[in-house]
Amino acid sequence: MPDAEDVRRICLALPDTTEKVAWSMPTFRVAGKMFVTLPEDETSIAVRCPKEERDELVLAEPEKFWIADHEAMFAWVRARLSAIEDEDELRDIVTDSWRQAAPPRLLDAHPELGVQGGS
């Protein structure tokens, strides 16, 4: 099961990513734009996710994904670290969120990270 240190390592390995504490929790930003947070005592992550995909994720895997009440109006979803299968799945989730926040110059400079919207 991945943990908060795995999240931190994967996030910080992505281009132009920094860690900053906000709302008393670690947050990860690409070019200054937040793409991952570690809420709930670092037992889950919040990631960017288009609303239409988010709803499908929550319905398909409610034990893994949920929408926090205060984030319902935004394109974010939570994932329980204990329900994420392995580091590869965590990397896919984090990288997809990174792609949604990254500026076009970084997406163009790092085609190996895939196309936005795919994982």
Side-chain angles (χ1 to χ4, degrees):
M1 162 183 95
D3 63 17
E5 286 310 310
D6 295 320
V7 172
R8 182 170 280 109
R9 182 174 38 78
I10 290 168
C11 286
L12 293 174
L14 292 165
D16 203 12
T17 295
T18 57
E19 181 176 353
K20 179 181 178 181
V21 173
W23 307 287
S24 302
M25 71 179 128
T27 67
F28 298 89
R29 299 157 191 260
V30 55
K33 196 170 181 183
M34 196 164 30
F35 70 97
V36 170
T37 68
L38 271 165
E40 272 82 51
D41 298 324
E42 299 186 2
T43 60
S44 70
I45 57 174
V47 294
R48 291 176 173 270
C49 184
K51 287 183 183 180
E52 58 279 0
E53 292 177 27
R54 174 184 76 174
D55 296 341
E56 290 176 23
L57 272 176
V58 171
L59 286 172
E61 298 184 83
E63 70 290 345
K64 186 180 297 183
F65 297 104
W66 86 99
I67 301 166
D69 291 340
H70 67 281
E71 294 169 346
M73 304 222 0
F74 305 101
W76 286 80
V77 68
R78 300 279 178 102
R80 291 173 184 84
L81 290 175
S82 63
I84 293 175
E85 291 178 29
D86 55 26
E87 195 170 305
D88 287 338
E89 183 182 22
L90 176 61
R91 185 176 290 106
D92 287 346
I93 292 168
V94 166
T95 302
D96 190 57
S97 186
W98 180 89
R99 281 192 296 269
Q100 292 175 60
R105 68 176 171 79
L106 282 177
L107 296 173
D108 292 345
H110 298 280
E112 75 279 9
L113 295 174
V115 190
Q116 190 169 358
S119 26

